[in-house]
């Protein structure tokens, strides 16, 4: 690699983060806008986007949310949210800050964001790099295995810090510096304003254009050394051990493959769990139905057992009555059936006569129905006879109702008389 040899150098600590309350109010304002100026995110996920950005700024104060214009590959421009700042990187026991931009695309958070390293004019992107292409686009296993809604920006920043610590994506290029301290208080959180033009799928050959600005000579944050010192030159690509490079690339490939397999296994497990939950719900419904059926059968069994006991008791009563009256029946000789039963009082005899007359009229009307269906009598004669019989049947039934009321009254009077006699004793 021609020119000055690249090296890493520590830079001052990031400046204090803005007021979290102001950040929260600003996010609530921009996400609640409607009309042409509204951000192109789904309404049902705007609250989750707000929480992701607030958590990111709380855990990484240098990454502050803002809105900027993003240009798609087809030339479309859209106003999107981004987090612009730095993430810490531990390299050779020294902590540095890598400048990045996290773009929240229109489909976020159901799809992963686009992440770019944001080099200044004093930085160069390491080539080749296993996770950063020449345009600055970052591709790590966490982005490939993004799962909604469990994945978030805080875990993404943590993974970026871990991946960059294993293989730094940027180097600062040494240049003659006539002024040893041109800016005693550099601001590592300066806004790196540029519009990325990502090439999804294939790595482009041209890096994003960065407007010429006066940046500090080092792109990194605070380290364990002094603010203006330098550590020994970082290992260069042409001086690295081929075995070490091969081992690192193999480890990265294995990690990517492992993350892909874990993602596939997770999706398969989730699908199996959904199926099991569905089957569990069906089984619970069937269990409830079976429990209700068993309870109904038990109730029916108890009812049948009670009826059986009643039938057995009645059968015993009838058998006892038959045994008692067999001798009497033999001694009586020829028995008149009509006189076999005698009413106990006048009301009972009158009730028996009315009931027998009612039933005989019912049988007569039934016989008339059969006769008119067979054509034995004319329809006019049938109507005349039915009208007369119905009238007579009505009177018998009315008399039965009056007799039943009189019997009930007599029974109540008898019970009252027995109770009064018991109290008198």
């Amino acid at each position: 690699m021609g020119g000055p040899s690249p090296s890493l150098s520590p830079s001052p600590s990031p400046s204090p983060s803005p007021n979290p309350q102001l950040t929260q109010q600003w996010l609530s304002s921009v996400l609640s806008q409607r009309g042409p100026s509204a951000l192109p995110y789904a309404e049902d996920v705007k609250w989750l986007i707000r929480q992701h950005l607030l958590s990111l700024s709380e855990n990484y104060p240098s990454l502050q949310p803002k809105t900027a214009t993003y240009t798609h590959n087809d030339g479309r421009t859209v106003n999107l949210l981004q987090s612009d700042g730095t993430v810490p990187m531990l390299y050779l026991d020294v902590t540095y800050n890598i400048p990045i931009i996290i773009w929240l695309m229109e489909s976020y958070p159901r799809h992963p964001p686009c992440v770019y390293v944001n080099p200044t004019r004093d930085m160069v992107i390491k080539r080749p790099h296993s996770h950063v292409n020449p345009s600055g686009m970052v591709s790590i296993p966490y982005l490939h295995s993004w799962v909604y809604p469990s994945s978030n920006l805080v875990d993404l920043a943590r993974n970026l810090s871990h991946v960059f610590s294993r293989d730094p994506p940027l180097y600062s290029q040494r240049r003659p510096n006539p002024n040893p301290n041109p800016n005693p208080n550099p601001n590592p959180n300066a806004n790196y304003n540029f519009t990325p033009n990502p090439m999804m799928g294939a790595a482009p050959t041209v890096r994003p254009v960065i407007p010429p600005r006066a940046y500090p000579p080092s792109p990194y944050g605070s380290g364990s050394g002094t603010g203006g010192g330098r550590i020994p030159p970082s290992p260069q690509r042409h001086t690295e051990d081929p075995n070490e490079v091969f081992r690192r690339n193999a480890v990265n490939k294995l990690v990517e493959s492992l993350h892909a397999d874990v993602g596939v296994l997770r999706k398969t497990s989730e699908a199996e769990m959904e199926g099991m939950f569905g089957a569990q719900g069906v089984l619970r419904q069937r269990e409830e139905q079976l429990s209700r059926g068993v309870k109904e059968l038990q109730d029916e069994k108890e009812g049948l057992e009670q009826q059986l006991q009643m039938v057995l008791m009645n059968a015993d009563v009838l058998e006892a009555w038959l045994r008692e009256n067999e001798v009497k029946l033999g001694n009586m000789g020829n028995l008149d059936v009509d006189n076999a039963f005698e009413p106990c009082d006048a009301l009972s005899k009158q009730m028996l006569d009315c009931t027998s007359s009612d039933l005989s009229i019912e049988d007569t009307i039934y016989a008339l129905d059969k006769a008119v269906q067979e054509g034995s009598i004319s329809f006019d004669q049938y109507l005349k006879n039915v009208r007369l019989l119905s009238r007579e049947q009505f009177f018998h039934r009315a008399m039965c109702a009056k007799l039943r009321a009189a019997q009930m009254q007599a029974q109540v009077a008898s019970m009252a008389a027995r109770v009064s006699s018991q109290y008198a004793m």
Side-chain angles (χ1 to χ4, degrees), residues 151-173:
S151 300
N152 55 77
L153 297 179
V154 176
D155 292 341
L156 172 62
R158 191 177 296 115
N159 277 266
L160 287 171
S161 177
H162 178 69
V163 171
F164 291 163
S165 298
R166 292 188 302 173
D167 188 9
L170 299 176
Y171 289 119
S172 62
Q173 194 161 354

Side-chain angles (χ1 to χ4, degrees), residues 304-369:
L304 292 175
E305 289 178 350
Q306 293 178 359
Q307 293 180 6
L308 178 61
Q309 293 295 330
M310 186 65 65
V311 170
L312 293 176
M313 291 174 60
N314 293 334
D316 293 340
V317 171
L318 290 175
E319 289 178 355
W321 185 86
L322 288 175
R323 287 194 299 270
E324 182 181 352
N325 291 278
E326 278 181 354
V327 178
K328 295 180 180 180
L329 183 62
N331 296 331
M332 292 177 65
N334 296 329
L335 178 64
D336 186 6
V337 177
D338 294 333
N339 298 324
F341 297 95
E342 293 183 358
C344 59
D345 54 10
L347 291 177
S348 299
K349 184 176 185 306
Q350 193 173 0
M351 174 67 77
L352 183 61
D353 294 339
C354 289
T355 303
S356 61
S357 299
D358 182 15
L359 295 177
S360 62
I361 292 173
E362 189 72 26
D363 293 339
T364 305
I365 292 175
Y366 177 76
L368 289 174
D369 289 338

